[in-house]
Amino acid sequence: MYAIIVTGGKQYRVQKGDVVFVEKLNAEEGSTVKFENVLAVGGEGDTKVGAPNVEGASVEAKVVKNGKGKKLNIITYRPKKGSARRMGHRQPYTKVEITAING
């Protein structure tokens, strides 16, 4: 059984046991989160598609870790001005493990 969920403005296709890196959630490590925005649920020849969400469907996941991604180096350059600026960015994420798909 699989589900398509929406979190952090992105869509993820998940199954039970999957480990997914999603946008940062306000949840502690070891806690359980519930995703209510389920666009579709499918399984053995049976697929339910919502308009926009499937009624009564949810996905439960356990928070494994909160962290930051790899550092990206951004250089802003202005030609003919002798001006350049270096910036770095590390995107925060939450690593979750899917424990149950209801619906």
Side-chain angles (χ1 to χ4, degrees):
M1 182 173 231
Y2 70 91
I4 298 175
I5 62 171
V6 177
T7 181
K10 298 177 180 68
Q11 298 176 4
Y12 300 91
R13 183 186 188 275
V14 295
Q15 292 179 320
K16 185 177 178 182
D18 283 354
V19 176
V20 183
F21 292 89
V22 298
E23 293 294 319
K24 186 172 188 280
L25 302 172
N26 290 327
E28 297 292 321
E29 293 180 19
S31 66
T32 303
V33 293
K34 192 172 190 179
F35 299 107
E36 299 287 337
N37 289 341
V38 180
L39 300 180
V41 177
E44 306 271 335
D46 179 34
T47 303
K48 289 187 244 175
V49 179
N53 296 331
V54 178
E55 296 233 4
S58 64
V59 175
E60 295 178 12
K62 184 179 88 170
V63 176
V64 178
K65 173 183 169 184
N66 287 315
K68 291 184 182 179
K70 291 180 72 173
K71 185 169 186 176
L72 299 175
N73 289 315
I74 297 111
I75 299 174
T76 304
Y77 174 72
R78 293 173 196 87
K80 301 177 192 159
K81 304 293 182 199
S83 172
R85 181 175 162 201
R86 290 182 57 122
M87 293 174 283
H89 176 74
R90 293 182 68 191
Q91 185 70 25
Y93 68 84
T94 300
K95 183 178 178 181
V96 296
E97 180 180 359
I98 307 301
T99 56
I101 297 174
N102 305 317

